[in-house]
Amino acid sequence: MRALDDSDCDVIYLDYAKAFDKVDHDLLLKKLSAYGVSGKTLWWIKNFLSGRKQKVVINGHESFWVTVISGVIQGSVLGPILFIIFINDLQHYVKSSTLRCFADDTRLTKRINNSQEDTCLMQNDLNHVITWSKSNNMELNESKFELISFSKHISRTDISELPYASEFSCSYTTSQFNELTPVSSLRDLGIIISDNFTWSEHITKITSKANQMAAWAMSLFKHRGKSHMLVMYKSFVRSHLEFCCPLWNPYHIQDIIQLEKVQRTFTSKIHGYQHFDYWERLSRLNLLSLQRRRERYILVYMWKILQGNVPNDVGMIFNFNPRRGFTAVVKPIVNSQSRAQTVYDNSFIIVGAKLWNILPFQINTITSSLNAFKTGLSNFLKIFPDKPPVNGYVRANSNSLLDWWQTLSNNPVFIQDINSI
């Protein structure tokens, strides 16, 4: 049996049909009791869930009342908590794979070292999840299950074209004996994940959406003054370009250019700023490039990891040095021959650590509050030129803080500016 690679990974995304509406009240109350909820608290939750009715009103026409016999109350404070308690024991049914749940979004992940053995173990975990769902009256939409495979050397979706394709038996089936066909990309909590380790498809999607929002905003408001335009841009457009950006921060120049083009086009329509080039326009409007803002978000998230405000899922390690303050450990991959090396070198765990390590002592040791850190970080960023890659512009480097640091760190004026923060 030919193994794919010692670091391949399979991920199965499960789909629960109307999960919040399918929570069995009796089973939920039993689980609450098993977790130690009793007495008046359990009685109150029981009354909170039972005896509810609902109807539909369309254009003043009402349907008849229907008794709600299952589900948690969406929009309530207790609803998400009760749902999490209900599905919490699902983790005990998964033995070999990693189970991750975000509300009703559930996925199984497993590293595939031996294609046949590990696939069988993951199939068993999938069977256990399906069994749990049936015993807990949770309806799985098995036709919407998605499988994505990550390999250092080849996309699983391309295996069928290989002459030795028959040697790969990494397949999974549902309880209805439907085989899961690997997809090249899928949507995971608003982010498009691709099996080729690039974010180009996601970037194309969000830039298209941002351009649509920009056109919509322009059609509603005819005033092109600075204050109005910046409010529209920050409210309706930029948010689409930055959601979860520490994860997908691009390193391909064309991806960076594609993102900057949205901001470049929008700001070029601001009255009085049409005749400035993009770099000058950013300075005069007191705007950071989207590229610089992404690196800022990464540094803010690094601070949150250091302070324990967010889970350290990536295993980031910090050390304290009396001279340099808190420094992050950069972890290289041992196997530098794989195509995943470049991806890893530009991932959050590496870029985040490198960016953090250029922060001066007086900033990386700020622990009083997030706002205090952001203020110090903003003052630090002002010292660096901000000239993002743009078509038709001659640039000195990629505009990353890391490149500017390498260029300016020996400049006495630059060091003096840092010391004056």
Side-chain angles (χ1 to χ4, degrees), residues 293-322:
R293 283 178 59 85
R294 288 192 297 273
E295 292 187 327
R296 179 181 177 275
Y297 278 122
I298 290 174
L299 286 167
V300 169
Y301 201 84
M302 288 287 292
W303 184 89
K304 291 180 178 180
I305 292 177
L306 175 62
Q307 301 303 318
N309 294 347
V310 295
N312 187 8
D313 292 335
V314 295
M316 190 69 69
I317 299 174
F318 292 91
N319 296 318
F320 183 78
N321 183 292

Short mmCIF file of all heavy atoms in Angstrom, two decimals, residues 293-322:
data_model
loop_
_atom_site.label_atom_id
_atom_site.label_comp_id
_atom_site.label_asym_id
_atom_site.label_seq_id
_atom_site.Cartn_x
_atom_site.Cartn_y
_atom_site.Cartn_z
N ARG A 293 -2.55 46.77 7.74
CA ARG A 293 -3.60 46.49 8.73
C ARG A 293 -3.64 45.00 9.05
O ARG A 293 -3.88 44.63 10.21
CB ARG A 293 -4.96 46.95 8.20
CG ARG A 293 -5.17 48.44 8.27
CD ARG A 293 -6.51 48.84 7.69
NE ARG A 293 -7.63 48.20 8.37
CZ ARG A 293 -8.19 48.65 9.48
NH1 ARG A 293 -7.73 49.76 10.06
NH2 ARG A 293 -9.21 48.02 10.04
N ARG A 294 -3.40 44.13 8.08
CA ARG A 294 -3.40 42.69 8.36
C ARG A 294 -2.26 42.33 9.31
O ARG A 294 -2.43 41.53 10.23
CB ARG A 294 -3.29 41.88 7.06
CG ARG A 294 -4.56 41.90 6.22
CD ARG A 294 -4.50 40.86 5.11
NE ARG A 294 -3.42 41.10 4.16
CZ ARG A 294 -3.53 41.87 3.10
NH1 ARG A 294 -4.66 42.50 2.85
NH2 ARG A 294 -2.50 42.02 2.28
N GLU A 295 -1.10 42.94 9.11
CA GLU A 295 0.02 42.66 10.01
C GLU A 295 -0.27 43.23 11.40
O GLU A 295 0.14 42.64 12.41
CB GLU A 295 1.31 43.24 9.43
CG GLU A 295 1.77 42.51 8.18
CD GLU A 295 3.13 42.96 7.69
OE1 GLU A 295 3.47 44.15 7.86
OE2 GLU A 295 3.87 42.13 7.14
N ARG A 296 -0.97 44.33 11.45
CA ARG A 296 -1.37 44.89 12.75
C ARG A 296 -2.32 43.93 13.47
O ARG A 296 -2.18 43.69 14.68
CB ARG A 296 -2.05 46.24 12.54
CG ARG A 296 -2.54 46.89 13.84
CD ARG A 296 -3.22 48.22 13.55
NE ARG A 296 -3.75 48.82 14.77
CZ ARG A 296 -4.92 48.54 15.30
NH1 ARG A 296 -5.71 47.65 14.71
NH2 ARG A 296 -5.33 49.13 16.42
N TYR A 297 -3.29 43.36 12.74
CA TYR A 297 -4.20 42.39 13.34
C TYR A 297 -3.44 41.18 13.88
O TYR A 297 -3.79 40.62 14.93
CB TYR A 297 -5.25 41.93 12.32
CG TYR A 297 -6.41 42.87 12.14
CD1 TYR A 297 -6.71 43.42 10.90
CD2 TYR A 297 -7.23 43.20 13.22
CE1 TYR A 297 -7.79 44.28 10.73
CE2 TYR A 297 -8.31 44.06 13.06
CZ TYR A 297 -8.58 44.58 11.81
OH TYR A 297 -9.65 45.44 11.65
N ILE A 298 -2.43 40.74 13.14
CA ILE A 298 -1.63 39.61 13.59
C ILE A 298 -0.94 39.93 14.91
O ILE A 298 -0.92 39.12 15.85
CB ILE A 298 -0.59 39.22 12.51
CG1 ILE A 298 -1.30 38.60 11.30
CG2 ILE A 298 0.44 38.25 13.07
CD1 ILE A 298 -0.38 38.33 10.12
N LEU A 299 -0.37 41.13 15.01
CA LEU A 299 0.32 41.53 16.24
C LEU A 299 -0.65 41.66 17.41
O LEU A 299 -0.32 41.30 18.55
CB LEU A 299 1.07 42.84 16.01
CG LEU A 299 2.33 42.72 15.15
CD1 LEU A 299 2.83 44.09 14.70
CD2 LEU A 299 3.42 41.99 15.93
N VAL A 300 -1.83 42.17 17.14
CA VAL A 300 -2.84 42.28 18.20
C VAL A 300 -3.23 40.89 18.69
O VAL A 300 -3.38 40.65 19.90
CB VAL A 300 -4.08 43.06 17.70
CG1 VAL A 300 -5.24 42.93 18.69
CG2 VAL A 300 -3.73 44.53 17.47
N TYR A 301 -3.38 39.94 17.76
CA TYR A 301 -3.75 38.58 18.15
C TYR A 301 -2.61 37.92 18.93
O TYR A 301 -2.85 37.15 19.87
CB TYR A 301 -4.11 37.75 16.93
CG TYR A 301 -4.96 36.54 17.27
CD1 TYR A 301 -6.33 36.66 17.40
CD2 TYR A 301 -4.38 35.29 17.48
CE1 TYR A 301 -7.12 35.56 17.73
CE2 TYR A 301 -5.16 34.19 17.80
CZ TYR A 301 -6.52 34.34 17.93
OH TYR A 301 -7.30 33.26 18.27
N MET A 302 -1.38 38.21 18.53
CA MET A 302 -0.23 37.68 19.28
C MET A 302 -0.26 38.18 20.72
O MET A 302 0.02 37.42 21.67
CB MET A 302 1.07 38.11 18.59
CG MET A 302 1.37 37.40 17.29
SD MET A 302 1.88 35.68 17.51
CE MET A 302 3.47 35.90 18.30
N TRP A 303 -0.60 39.45 20.91
CA TRP A 303 -0.68 40.01 22.27
C TRP A 303 -1.77 39.27 23.06
O TRP A 303 -1.58 38.97 24.24
CB TRP A 303 -0.98 41.50 22.20
CG TRP A 303 -0.98 42.18 23.54
CD1 TRP A 303 0.07 42.75 24.18
CD2 TRP A 303 -2.12 42.37 24.41
NE1 TRP A 303 -0.31 43.28 25.39
CE2 TRP A 303 -1.65 43.06 25.56
CE3 TRP A 303 -3.46 42.03 24.33
CZ2 TRP A 303 -2.50 43.41 26.61
CZ3 TRP A 303 -4.31 42.37 25.39
CH2 TRP A 303 -3.83 43.06 26.51
N LYS A 304 -2.89 39.00 22.41
CA LYS A 304 -3.98 38.30 23.09
C LYS A 304 -3.57 36.88 23.49
O LYS A 304 -3.95 36.39 24.56
CB LYS A 304 -5.22 38.26 22.19
CG LYS A 304 -5.87 39.62 21.97
CD LYS A 304 -7.10 39.50 21.07
CE LYS A 304 -7.78 40.85 20.88
NZ LYS A 304 -8.97 40.75 20.00
N ILE A 305 -2.78 36.21 22.64
CA ILE A 305 -2.27 34.89 23.00
C ILE A 305 -1.35 34.99 24.20
O ILE A 305 -1.44 34.21 25.16
CB ILE A 305 -1.53 34.25 21.80
CG1 ILE A 305 -2.51 33.91 20.67
CG2 ILE A 305 -0.79 32.99 22.25
CD1 ILE A 305 -1.83 33.35 19.43
N LEU A 306 -0.45 35.97 24.17
CA LEU A 306 0.49 36.16 25.27
C LEU A 306 -0.23 36.41 26.59
O LEU A 306 0.15 35.88 27.64
CB LEU A 306 1.43 37.32 24.95
CG LEU A 306 2.41 37.74 26.05
CD1 LEU A 306 3.38 36.60 26.38
CD2 LEU A 306 3.18 39.00 25.63
N GLN A 307 -1.29 37.19 26.54
CA GLN A 307 -2.03 37.54 27.75
C GLN A 307 -3.06 36.48 28.14
O GLN A 307 -3.71 36.60 29.18
CB GLN A 307 -2.74 38.89 27.56
CG GLN A 307 -1.80 40.04 27.26
CD GLN A 307 -0.73 40.22 28.31
OE1 GLN A 307 -0.99 40.14 29.51
NE2 GLN A 307 0.51 40.49 27.87
N GLY A 308 -3.21 35.45 27.33
CA GLY A 308 -4.18 34.40 27.63
C GLY A 308 -5.62 34.80 27.37
O GLY A 308 -6.55 34.17 27.89
N ASN A 309 -5.82 35.82 26.53
CA ASN A 309 -7.18 36.28 26.22
C ASN A 309 -7.87 35.39 25.17
O ASN A 309 -9.09 35.42 25.05
CB ASN A 309 -7.16 37.73 25.71
CG ASN A 309 -6.73 38.70 26.79
OD1 ASN A 309 -6.67 38.36 27.96
ND2 ASN A 309 -6.40 39.92 26.40
N VAL A 310 -7.08 34.66 24.40
CA VAL A 310 -7.62 33.74 23.39
C VAL A 310 -6.87 32.42 23.50
O VAL A 310 -5.75 32.37 24.03
CB VAL A 310 -7.46 34.31 21.96
CG1 VAL A 310 -8.29 35.57 21.77
CG2 VAL A 310 -6.00 34.58 21.64
N PRO A 311 -7.46 31.32 23.04
CA PRO A 311 -6.78 30.02 23.11
C PRO A 311 -5.50 30.01 22.27
O PRO A 311 -5.46 30.56 21.17
CB PRO A 311 -7.81 29.04 22.55
CG PRO A 311 -9.12 29.73 22.69
CD PRO A 311 -8.84 31.19 22.52
N ASN A 312 -4.47 29.38 22.79
CA ASN A 312 -3.20 29.25 22.07
C ASN A 312 -3.20 27.93 21.30
O ASN A 312 -2.40 27.03 21.58
CB ASN A 312 -2.04 29.33 23.05
CG ASN A 312 -0.69 29.38 22.35
OD1 ASN A 312 -0.62 29.49 21.13
ND2 ASN A 312 0.38 29.26 23.12
N ASP A 313 -4.10 27.81 20.32
CA ASP A 313 -4.25 26.57 19.57
C ASP A 313 -3.02 26.25 18.72
O ASP A 313 -2.80 25.09 18.36
CB ASP A 313 -5.49 26.63 18.67
CG ASP A 313 -6.78 26.64 19.48
OD1 ASP A 313 -6.76 26.15 20.61
OD2 ASP A 313 -7.80 27.15 18.98
N VAL A 314 -2.25 27.27 18.34
CA VAL A 314 -1.10 27.04 17.47
C VAL A 314 0.16 26.68 18.26
O VAL A 314 1.21 26.41 17.69
CB VAL A 314 -0.82 28.28 16.60
CG1 VAL A 314 -1.96 28.53 15.64
CG2 VAL A 314 -0.56 29.52 17.46
N GLY A 315 0.07 26.68 19.59
CA GLY A 315 1.22 26.33 20.41
C GLY A 315 2.32 27.37 20.38
O GLY A 315 3.52 27.02 20.43
N MET A 316 1.95 28.64 20.33
CA MET A 316 2.95 29.71 20.34
C MET A 316 3.66 29.75 21.69
O MET A 316 3.03 29.66 22.74
CB MET A 316 2.27 31.06 20.06
CG MET A 316 3.24 32.21 19.81
SD MET A 316 4.12 32.05 18.25
CE MET A 316 2.77 32.30 17.08
N ILE A 317 4.99 29.89 21.65
CA ILE A 317 5.80 29.92 22.87
C ILE A 317 6.47 31.29 22.99
O ILE A 317 7.06 31.80 22.04
CB ILE A 317 6.87 28.82 22.85
CG1 ILE A 317 6.21 27.44 22.76
CG2 ILE A 317 7.77 28.90 24.08
CD1 ILE A 317 7.21 26.30 22.58
N PHE A 318 6.35 31.88 24.18
CA PHE A 318 6.99 33.17 24.47
C PHE A 318 8.03 32.98 25.57
O PHE A 318 7.84 32.22 26.52
CB PHE A 318 5.96 34.20 24.94
CG PHE A 318 4.98 34.63 23.88
CD1 PHE A 318 3.77 33.96 23.71
CD2 PHE A 318 5.25 35.70 23.04
CE1 PHE A 318 2.86 34.36 22.75
CE2 PHE A 318 4.36 36.10 22.06
CZ PHE A 318 3.16 35.43 21.92
N ASN A 319 9.15 33.68 25.43
CA ASN A 319 10.18 33.73 26.46
C ASN A 319 10.39 35.18 26.87
O ASN A 319 10.13 36.10 26.08
CB ASN A 319 11.49 33.14 25.95
CG ASN A 319 11.38 31.66 25.62
OD1 ASN A 319 10.76 30.91 26.36
ND2 ASN A 319 11.97 31.25 24.51
N PHE A 320 10.85 35.39 28.10
CA PHE A 320 11.11 36.76 28.55
C PHE A 320 12.61 36.98 28.63
O PHE A 320 13.35 36.20 29.22
CB PHE A 320 10.48 37.04 29.91
CG PHE A 320 10.68 38.45 30.36
CD1 PHE A 320 9.91 39.49 29.83
CD2 PHE A 320 11.67 38.76 31.30
CE1 PHE A 320 10.10 40.80 30.23
CE2 PHE A 320 11.87 40.07 31.71
CZ PHE A 320 11.08 41.09 31.17
N ASN A 321 13.03 38.08 28.01
CA ASN A 321 14.43 38.49 28.03
C ASN A 321 14.52 39.87 28.68
O ASN A 321 13.78 40.78 28.27
CB ASN A 321 14.98 38.54 26.59
CG ASN A 321 16.45 38.88 26.52
OD1 ASN A 321 16.84 40.01 26.84
ND2 ASN A 321 17.25 37.93 26.10
N PRO A 322 15.37 40.05 29.69
CA PRO A 322 15.43 41.34 30.39
C PRO A 322 15.73 42.51 29.48
O PRO A 322 15.37 43.66 29.77
CB PRO A 322 16.56 41.13 31.41
CG PRO A 322 16.62 39.65 31.61
CD PRO A 322 16.26 39.05 30.29
#
